Amino acid sequence: MTETYLTTDELAVRIKYDARTIRERLKDSVLFEGVHYIRPFGGRKILYLWEAIERDMPKQSQDAGFVLPMANGGVCHG
């Protein structure tokens, strides 16, 4: 199976999110190292695995249920 590796900026274009939002809010909360992204050769650079993100994105949406957005960017599970 061939993986499609994307930089943060390339992923931002595909999912229509700001690259900063991906780095600060999505990474390590819904995008996990080893599942959705890797650090090749143990370096600082992050490459996102498109197929894993594409597979799991709808699941996150369906599992969210009823939530209220909070002013600080979090959510309240009502």
Side-chain angles (χ1 to χ4, degrees):
M1 180 175 166
T2 304
E3 296 285 347
T4 305
Y5 298 104
L6 303 173
T7 64
T8 306
D9 291 331
E10 292 169 334
L11 178 62
V13 170
R14 285 208 186 186
I15 66 172
K16 296 173 180 47
Y17 271 78
D18 188 76
R20 185 174 175 184
T21 301
I22 294 170
R23 283 191 300 272
E24 294 179 2
R25 297 204 178 183
L26 299 181
K27 190 174 83 58
D28 298 325
S29 64
V30 295
L31 300 176
F32 301 106
E33 187 167 6
V35 178
H36 301 108
Y37 71 91
I38 60 169
R39 295 174 191 268
F41 311 112
R44 291 183 50 170
K45 181 128 184 116
I46 293 174
L47 293 177
Y48 291 91
L49 306 169
W50 173 244
E51 287 77 13
I53 293 170
E54 190 176 38
R55 176 194 70 221
D56 292 347
M57 208 168 21
K59 291 178 189 176
Q60 288 288 338
S61 180
Q62 292 168 355
D63 293 343
F66 179 74
V67 295
L68 297 170
M70 306 295 282
N72 67 358
V75 294
C76 175
H77 298 277

